[in-house]
Amino acid sequence: MNTPTSAASVMLKNDQKTPVFETIDEVIDDKTQTVVQPLKVINRRGNVVAYDENKIRVAMTKAFLAVEGDNAVASQSIHAKVEEMTAAITDVLKERVLIDGTIGIEQIQDQVELALMRAGEQKVARTYVLYREERQKEREKQAKPAPETPSLNVVAADGQVVPLDEQRIKTVVHEACDGLKAADNALILDQLAHNLFDRMPERDISKALIITARSLVERDPDYSYVTARLLLDQLRSEALNFLGIGSQATFIQMFDLYPTYFKAYLKRGVELNRISEKLLDFDLDKIAAAIKPERDHQFTYLSLQTLYDRYFLHHHGTRYALPQAFFMRVAMGLALEEKDREERAIEFYNLLSSFDFMSSTPTLFNAGTIRPQLSSCFLTTVPDDLDGIYGAIKDNALLSKYAGGLGNDWTPVRAMGSHIHGTNGKSQGVVPFLNVADATAIAVNQGGKRKGAVCAYLEIWHKDFEDFLELRKNTGDDRRRTHDMNIAAWVNDLFMQRVHEKGSWTLFSPNEVPDLHDLYGKAFEKAYIAYEEKARHGEIKTYKVVAARDLWRKLLSMLFETGHPWVTFKDVCNLRSPQQHCGVIHSSNLCTEITLNTSKEEIAVCNLGSINLPQHMDDNNRFDVERLRNTVRTAIRMLDNVININFYTVPQAFNSNMKHRPIGLGVMGFQDCLYKKRIPYASTKAVEFADRYQEYVSYYAIEASAELAQERGSYASFDGSLWNQGIMPLDSIQNVTSQRPAQYLDINTDSTLDWDSLREKVKKGMRNSNVLAIAPTATISNICGVSQSIEPTYQNLYVKSNMSGEFTVVNPYLIRDLKAVGLWDEVMINDLKYYDGSVQKIDRVPDDLKAIYATAFEMDAKYLVDCAARRQKWIDQAQSLNLYMANPSGKKLDNLYRHAWTAGLKTTYYMRSLGASSTEKSTVTTGALNAVKVNTAPKACAIDDPECEACQ
């Protein structure tokens, strides 16, 4: 490898006084290269030439010379930086090799640009971008009419060399760009030419098309749709070939071919023992005729690639499902027990394929298959005996195998040092068993489709709670750590009052205070105080007294350091539960939105799906309430059907689900709605909007369950429930106000709809014990192409990394508004990259747009809590609420979580904070920029402490 000095000297041969800024292609087009890496480059003449890392090093150095002049020559730091960037670019190119070891000139230039941005050299990068544009314009001006070039040949699958079908490529690209204003098919075809070479494998043509379009996504979100449609063409060829009904078909041709394909898809799936043969009993002509092929064009690249990688049925890696066949298979699977099943299947299909509603991932995975495990969440209580503990761990494995998320209540397990009667020894406590449960979740990774996921809950009075808080630390005895398991604190009102009042707090072993686990509200307070008195008199042996504020400080400090534990509130969950007459809620689930009773005999199950809110807004950006009502009614029916059709891996889950029939209808796309209505998330208008839309969703969902009860009957444990008493979620707030001191509660109880008439209807029966819960929708929102759940936008331009790869994501609403004021250009794209997707430091962006497009870490987290509090009053379960804080401190965390408690929230989810060091720039190849990092800054206390530097 040449030294930095020799690279600089090469450049200075041209003109030491006036450095020449050359683009990468001008250097690499030189055919006298020395091969230093096993890569090949397609130059602008279409020739495949060897790759030389030194040419990039030379061009990078000239870039600095062009900006900084002779000062760059003597700068060792610049030479070192060039070396580092050049090596990084080469590594990226090796990973991003497209076809037969080749890489295109434009892609090399893109990587140089990104390397400069990652290095913080914004001025150099901006000059580089502008120069690239100038050079492109010069080439276009100087270009002479080129003589006709001979057609390229490709190598077919059978080894024969055949002419490239250029007309089909043009047709496919034209179809991919159809209806998309910003998509330029000529630009795609032009850039594609740089990725083609003679005798390339025919199978790689579609890959070249996809990669060409994907590289344009950051210019405009329309290219994400283009890329998806080009991926769809590849998928069509794959599926049709596998099923033996053709080799290729364009989008238009599929309108005639889809019915034939769909029947072959079902038949082949049954033969491969993947699809249930019950689906063949449907009237397939009627079903196939209802498929809408045009909906294949509504996917973004991220959404279709996610479906392709994780959801579509395959045989040894070959996908044979197309999008509309996938949705219809799920719909048929959910309609199996309907009397008019064809009509219901078509109704369900239209809801799913339009993205008005989306079922949860387990339902999408497994509906209509031979083993339909469709439920999302399972909640268990772990008993205090060895058989029970390992039985619960086995249940975890069985439930996780078929894509279920787990929430385990570990509070009954006795604390370290407590007496074991059977052996006359001392217990090791709950922590060693949590280590085993953590390993089990990794070993049984949801059937190989996604990482196993479990959350352990422990009540804050448990004597092992302090050790529990340290489970996610990276230091200490690894046998007392759980590096993958999530943990959550089950916090009661009495503890929070003691924190406010600077009181003491006593930690007990549950075997000595057995009833505390099942008590809440005033009953818990009375029993707890009595146990404290017994401990003071020596009647309880295993206990520890701490300052409540110290324990709260340690909890929030661990939250600050490790992102755990999640903070969830026991009393409000139980006092507002419709099912408090027949059990106790001991924990939430993996994502903190489910609040259902558990016991040794019952494993709670929840069945989830989410309404796509922006789909229900009209052209004036107002809610179409009639459409919303119809969507909710059908969605409730689909979710209720899951309970009967579901495959249960453990009997406790079957018994619980059949007895109570809980479902969780959620929402997604809240941020999209705010963009449409041009409302900043951090505003009182957003809080009011959250209140109003959730009231409608809640009203229609409860109404739909009550109507379904009239058709199918009420759930078995309905008598004695809050529903049976005509107590709506809004009314249950009174249960909290009667148990908690007034100074610790501030909940809005306004309403706008006719709840009185609904109360009377509900008293007669409900089909489901629980109806509403807002889940994270991490993947299904990607499928629908909207913002996740109730989340604020993380960044306006970033690279998203998941199991399907890396995807450039741009905020289409921001681009729309920037275009409207003439600000969307290459410089703006690079400014967004440089500022990590933020518009706040870009001077030319108007202030009103800065407010609307503030990202998650640029807003006061108080508004996240306030919006959630308004939703919570309408929800009979909870919501998965992430909180964001760019620069957390002890005082900020203390204030925020106290506010969450007094606002009446049932649960919170992740506390996300930015890393202490600056992040890498956007569109990096590793996607590391966009990972929300646990803060690695020095520990700070979690309460405003006059002696704590972090609190000042």
Side-chain angles (χ1 to χ4, degrees), residues 23-33 41-43 45 49-52 55-56 105 108:
T23 51
I24 297 301
D25 59 298
E26 293 171 320
V27 177
I28 295 183
D29 276 353
D30 179 4
K31 295 184 179 180
T32 62
Q33 301 181 71
V41 179
I42 307 171
N43 65 19
R45 293 188 292 275
V49 297
Y51 171 79
D52 186 352
K55 301 300 181 181
I56 293 179
I105 284 293
I108 296 177

Side-chain angles (χ1 to χ4, degrees), residues 57 94 109 239 305 323 375 494 895 945:
R57 184 182 296 108
K94 289 178 181 177
Q109 290 180 321
Q305 188 70 58
S375 296
L494 181 60
N895 289 338
D945 185 339

Side-chain angles (χ1 to χ4, degrees), residues 794 857 885-888 912-917 919 932-936:
Y794 174 60
F857 292 108
M885 193 175 290
N887 299 296
R912 300 192 183 275
S913 60
L914 292 175
S917 58
T919 57
V932 179
K933 300 179 180 179
V934 171
N935 199 311
T936 56

Side-chain angles (χ1 to χ4, degrees), residues 124-347:
V124 177
R126 180 179 293 187
T127 305
Y128 177 77
V129 170
L130 295 175
Y131 193 82
R132 281 181 67 182
E133 289 186 344
E134 292 173 6
R135 287 288 299 145
Q136 177 62 28
K137 291 176 182 178
E138 289 177 12
R139 280 193 294 270
E140 291 173 356
K141 289 179 182 179
Q142 297 172 3
K144 298 178 181 179
E148 286 193 19
T149 56
S151 298
L152 294 176
N153 294 314
V154 294
V155 180
D158 60 3
Q160 293 189 35
V161 178
V162 297
L164 174 66
D165 190 344
E166 296 181 11
Q167 185 55 49
R168 186 179 188 282
I169 291 176
K170 292 178 181 178
T171 299
V172 170
V173 172
H174 175 75
E175 288 183 343
C177 296
D178 186 42
L180 301 172
K181 293 181 180 180
D184 185 346
N185 58 351
L187 175 63
I188 294 172
L189 290 170
D190 178 63
Q191 299 223 356
L192 173 66
H194 301 305
N195 291 330
L196 301 181
F197 57 92
D198 194 38
R199 296 182 177 244
M200 69 184 294
E202 186 178 30
R203 66 179 181 276
D204 288 336
I205 297 295
S206 61
K207 295 179 183 177
L209 274 169
I210 292 167
I211 292 169
T212 299
R214 189 175 71 178
S215 69
L216 300 172
V217 171
E218 66 181 29
R219 294 191 181 188
D220 194 282
D222 275 359
Y223 285 105
S224 181
Y225 292 95
V226 173
T227 309
R229 295 173 185 184
L230 295 172
L231 173 61
L232 180 66
D233 182 62
Q234 175 183 310
L235 176 56
R236 283 196 299 263
S237 297
E238 186 175 349
L240 295 177
N241 270 304
F242 180 80
L243 297 175
I245 54 175
S247 58
Q248 292 179 328
T250 64
F251 174 69
I252 297 300
Q253 290 169 341
M254 283 302 299
F255 278 77
D256 293 329
L257 191 56
Y258 233 118
T260 301
Y261 153 76
F262 180 70
K263 294 175 187 177
Y265 158 75
L266 289 183
K267 182 179 178 182
R268 188 71 169 127
V270 171
E271 291 172 354
L272 294 173
N273 206 31
R274 288 293 295 119
I275 294 177
S276 171
E277 61 183 7
K278 295 178 182 178
L279 269 58
L280 298 180
D281 295 334
F282 282 74
D283 182 342
L284 296 184
D285 289 331
K286 185 174 184 178
I287 290 289
I291 287 177
K292 298 181 178 179
E294 65 273 15
R295 291 184 174 175
D296 276 354
H297 265 194
Q298 66 187 351
F299 295 97
T300 64
Y301 176 50
L302 171 60
S303 63
L304 187 59
Q305 188 70 58
T306 300
L307 286 177
Y308 179 89
D309 289 338
R310 300 174 59 186
Y311 290 84
F312 288 167
L313 296 180
H314 62 88
H315 182 65
H316 298 310
T318 300
R319 271 64 177 173
Y320 55 96
L322 294 177
Q324 302 313 306
F326 162 72
F327 286 129
M328 187 60 87
R329 184 260 296 171
V330 174
M332 293 167 72
L334 292 175
L336 279 170
E337 298 190 3
E338 294 277 5
K339 293 179 181 178
D340 47 352
R341 58 186 182 182
E342 282 80 15
E343 288 75 12
R344 289 297 183 186
I346 293 169
E347 178 186 354

